[in-house]
């Protein structure tokens, strides 16, 4: 759907009018395009005491070919960073020409063990934030608080969340701010995640805290297989439900662009749209109602011969009414399609080993499932249930190296949100740090990162794709 306000205030006349009336001006977000460089520009690096993730940052900087500069006050850790081959210059905030010059700010806070050591965060971002360009990226790296050795360290690491979320709200101009907690021993598993958060692929993901776990020695399929960064899903098969239109069609298209063979599922009445969408990607169309009792066995039979590596549970419906007015059928169909059908399909694919070891399951939840919503008891129940599935199943699937995660979209411009009454729609669109709705491709790119072979350390997590919505934050 079209956001006419965003288009208007980004036209020359609209921009002048918005300025003179003091109206908010949402930024046109920079999104990934295959014909444009994904990374580039200067990246400023900062760190607290004894940063443990400089090796991981050196690998990243070398592999994406950006130029890194150390913050002028970086002091003690600069020689250490130099040894990791990170430094090519020093960033001087006093330089008046530095405004808007930086593409990203990376801060390694992994060595901070006490609240009294948090000051370098202030020093670094105080000096650099104004030099970060439009649609720039902020990534703070830390250690998962729950794995810290002492209460003081846990406290200081947990504090990073409030800091990063606040930066996301202050930065505006299409800038995102995210926190990556890297477990000890998982340093070699961060690259796919850092690339995602640095890339324009994460245009509408901000204010998130993501955890990366170390590989377990007893797990089959847990080692990261070899892959090509340009086609990371080559040779993999991905099932996407609700693939005929909206977010599902975009997920199918992004996974196919990353090299996967996509099997799209949608209801028989959407067959024409599904066929058209799968033809474009040389995918396979399966016209099934996922909630039908025979669907799990039918889907398992259709996939059995070649198996599958990625399952995306995207199909979903709304039947909104306040609970007193909600019919039993409206309650039942939403719970069944949005939640119970996913459980039945996964059971069938897992029991028969059709979902291979090292596989990926990704559910589509919603910020309604986090915050609740008036008139959506059925929908919010189903979407909170998706979160429960992810959290409860992740430990069980670990032994097979299968990860399970969910995305929780906020307001995304689709036919589903076009049905919302105008005033509520406009509020949903603007009440986030980007002052605009997201696009289906924003959800699709986030799912592609979770499906990535390099995301083996990311499991049991809920990642909001909501432009840092105020709802449920
Ligand atoms: N659009 C948003 O702002 C938003 C926000 C949060 C979450 N979501 C979730 O994202 C997912 C996709 O939403 P969308 O906006 O693209 O919706 P949409 O209505 O445009 O598309 C949903 C697709 O699912 C299919 N589907 C519905 N019931 C099915 C069934 N029983 N079997 C097979 N296919 C079925 C539909 O035919 C349709 O093609 C949903 O799970 C939705 O709850 C959307």
């Amino acid at each position: 759907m079209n956001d006419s306000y965003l288009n208007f205030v980004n036209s020359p006349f609209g921009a002048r009018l918005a300025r003179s009336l003091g109206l908010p001006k949402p930024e046109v977000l920079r999104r990934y395009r295959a014909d444009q460089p994904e990374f580039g520009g200067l990246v400023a690096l900062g760190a607290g005491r004894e940063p443990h993730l400089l090796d991981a940052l050196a690998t990243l900087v070398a592999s994406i070919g950006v130029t890194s500069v150390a913050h002028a006050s970086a002091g003690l850790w600069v020689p250490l960073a130099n040894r990791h081959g990170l430094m090519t210059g020093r960033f001087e905030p006093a330089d008046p020409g530095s405004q808007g010059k930086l593409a990203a700010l990376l801060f390694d806070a992994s060595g901070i063990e006490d609240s009294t050591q948090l000051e370098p965060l202030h020093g670094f971002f105080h000096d650099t934030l104004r030099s970060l360009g439009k649609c720039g990226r902020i990534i703070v790296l830390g250690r998962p608080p729950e794995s810290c050795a002492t209460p003081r360290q846990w406290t200081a690491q947990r504090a990073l969340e409030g800091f990063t979320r606040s930066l996301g709200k202050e930065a505006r101009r299409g800038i995102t701010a995210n926190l990556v907690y890297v477990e000890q021993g998982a340093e070699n598993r961060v690259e796919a995640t850092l690339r995602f958060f640095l890339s324009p692929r994460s245009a509408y993901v901000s204010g998130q805290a993501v955890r990366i776990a170390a590989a377990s020695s007893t797990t089959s399929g847990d080692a990261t297989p070899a892959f090509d960064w340009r086609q990371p899903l080559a040779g993999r098969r991905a099932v996407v439900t609700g693939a005929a239109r909206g977010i599902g069609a975009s997920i199918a298209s992004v996974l196919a662009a990353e090299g996967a063979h996509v099997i799209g599922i949608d209801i028989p009445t959407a067959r024409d749209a599904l066929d058209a969408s799968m033809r474009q990607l040389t995918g396979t169309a399966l016209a099934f109602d996922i909630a039908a009792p025979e669907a799990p066995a039918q889907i398992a039979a259709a996939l059995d011969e070649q198996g599958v590596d990625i399952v995306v549970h995207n199909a979903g419906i709304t039947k909104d009414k306040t609970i007193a007015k909600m019919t039993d059928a409206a309650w039942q169909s939403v719970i069944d399609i949005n939640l119970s059908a996913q459980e039945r399909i996964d059971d069938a694919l897992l029991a028969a080993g059709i979902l291979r070891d090292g596989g990926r399951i990704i559910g589509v939840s919603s910020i309604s499932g986090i915050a609740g919503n008036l008139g959506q008891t059925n929908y919010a129940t189903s979407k909170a249930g998706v979160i429960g599935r992810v959290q409860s199943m992740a430990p069980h699937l670990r032994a097979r190296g299968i990860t399970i995660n969910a995305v929780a979209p906020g307001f995304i411009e689709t036919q589903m949100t076009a049905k919302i009454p105008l005033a509520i729609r406009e509020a949903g669109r603007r009440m986030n740090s980007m002052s605009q709705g997201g696009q289906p491709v924003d959800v699709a790119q986030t799912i592609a990162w979770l499906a990535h072979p390099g995301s083996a350390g990311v499991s049991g997590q809920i990642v909001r794709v909501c432009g840092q919505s105020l709802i449920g934050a």
Side-chain angles (χ1 to χ4, degrees):
M1 236 178 68
N2 209 2
D3 183 346
S4 349
Y5 178 76
L6 181 141
N7 294 338
F8 176 69
V9 293
N10 280 290
S11 69
F13 171 69
R16 271 200 310 278
L17 190 69
R19 227 181 354 260
S20 62
L21 296 177
L23 296 173
K25 183 172 170 289
E27 201 65 49
V28 176
L29 300 183
R30 187 176 159 238
R31 292 191 164 85
Y32 172 75
R33 285 182 47 170
D35 60 350
Q36 287 178 359
E38 187 169 357
F39 304 106
L42 283 177
V43 172
L45 299 169
R49 62 184 291 282
E50 293 181 28
H52 301 299
L53 297 166
L54 291 178
D55 250 342
L57 288 176
T59 310
L60 174 78
V61 165
S63 109
I64 64 176
V66 293
T67 306
S68 63
V69 289
H71 178 231
S73 71
L76 281 179
W77 65 273
V78 167
L80 182 64
N82 269 322
R83 275 207 301 282
H84 283 77
L86 274 171
M87 295 306 125
T88 55
R90 280 167 76 89
F91 177 69
E92 302 293 344
D95 172 5
S98 73
Q99 201 93 17
K101 204 168 152 187
L102 295 169
L105 308 176
L106 300 181
F107 191 93
D108 182 352
S110 59
I112 295 178
E113 291 182 347
D114 190 288
S115 60
T116 56
Q117 298 163 0
L118 288 164
E119 200 287 325
L121 284 164
H122 167 259
F124 176 71
F125 287 100
H126 170 272
D127 285 356
T128 55
L129 192 59
R130 268 184 280 194
S131 301
L132 186 59
K134 286 179 185 177
C135 300
R137 294 286 180 265
I138 295 169
I139 305 177
V140 177
L141 294 145
R143 292 294 195 200
E146 57 282 2
S147 71
C148 288
T150 67
R152 289 269 174 116
Q153 190 184 4
W154 179 319
T155 303
Q157 290 294 323
R158 179 62 182 78
L160 300 176
E161 232 182 279
F163 178 78
T164 312
R165 288 189 206 279
S166 300
L167 273 187
K169 290 185 178 174
E170 276 183 22
R172 317 295 291 185
R173 296 181 293 133
I175 292 167
T176 64
N178 292 289
L179 171 61
V180 180
Y181 280 129
V182 184
E183 196 178 72
Q184 209 158 351
E187 291 79 4
N188 58 349
R189 298 178 126 195
V190 299
E191 189 174 352
T193 297
L194 293 184
R195 277 177 175 249
F196 173 69
F197 283 122
L198 266 183
S199 155
R201 294 174 195 264
S202 56
Y204 202 60
V205 184
S206 192
Q208 301 307 293
V210 166
R211 284 161 169 73
I212 306 194
S216 124
S217 51
T218 55
T219 299
S220 59
D222 207 17
T224 304
F227 61 86
D228 176 350
W229 285 108
R230 286 160 306 178
Q231 287 267 289
L233 303 182
R236 289 183 165 69
R237 286 161 56 81
V239 172
V240 180
T241 67
R245 67 175 202 193
I247 295 172
S250 186
I251 297 167
S253 146
V254 168
L255 296 183
E258 301 281 287
H261 176 84
V262 176
I263 299 112
I265 300 180
D266 214 299
I267 44 175
T269 50
R271 168 141 232 162
D272 289 349
L274 181 68
D275 282 345
S277 140
M278 288 304 117
R279 243 193 324 274
Q280 272 183 352
L281 333 162
T282 43
T284 306
L286 296 180
F288 292 134
D289 174 348
I290 56 161
E294 62 282 9
Q298 284 177 326
I299 295 170
L303 299 173
D304 191 17
E305 213 165 283
Q306 297 182 61
V308 70
D309 307 282
I310 299 158
V311 179
V312 184
H313 294 291
N314 162 76
I317 60 165
T318 50
K319 291 215 166 149
D320 297 357
K321 278 273 186 285
T322 52
I323 191 130
K325 293 184 185 154
M326 187 181 291
T327 62
D328 188 42
W331 169 271
Q332 200 49 49
S333 59
V334 169
I335 302 291
D336 210 35
I337 293 171
N338 294 6
L339 181 59
S340 310
Q342 295 188 17
E343 298 181 295
R344 293 192 292 266
I345 292 169
D346 283 349
D347 283 352
L349 298 183
L350 287 165
I354 295 168
L355 178 61
R356 285 193 271 267
D357 287 4
R360 304 276 185 267
I361 301 174
I362 300 144
V364 178
S365 177
S366 163
I367 57 171
S368 280
I370 295 169
N373 205 7
L374 191 152
Q376 290 199 316
T377 47
N378 52 357
Y379 185 74
T381 303
S382 71
K383 295 300 185 178
V386 170
I387 294 174
R389 291 191 71 224
V390 164
Q391 293 171 335
S392 60
M393 286 177 69
H396 298 291
L397 295 174
R398 195 160 186 219
R400 292 183 51 193
I402 297 173
T403 67
I404 178 166
N405 295 286
V407 293
F411 184 99
I412 306 294
E413 306 280 359
T414 66
Q415 292 184 36
M416 189 183 258
T417 45
K419 288 191 295 191
I420 300 173
L422 180 70
I424 303 174
R425 188 166 73 221
E426 202 44 28
R429 248 191 201 138
R430 306 289 164 220
M431 279 168 50
N432 58 71
S433 296
M434 305 290 160
S435 304
Q436 60 192 285
Q439 295 295 329
V441 72
D442 298 326
V443 181
Q445 290 287 5
T446 308
I447 288 175
W449 154 59
L450 294 168
H452 198 287
S455 297
V458 184
S459 192
Q461 307 204 33
I462 315 304
V463 183
R464 294 168 58 132
V465 185
C466 65
Q468 200 176 20
S469 171
L470 297 179
I471 297 167

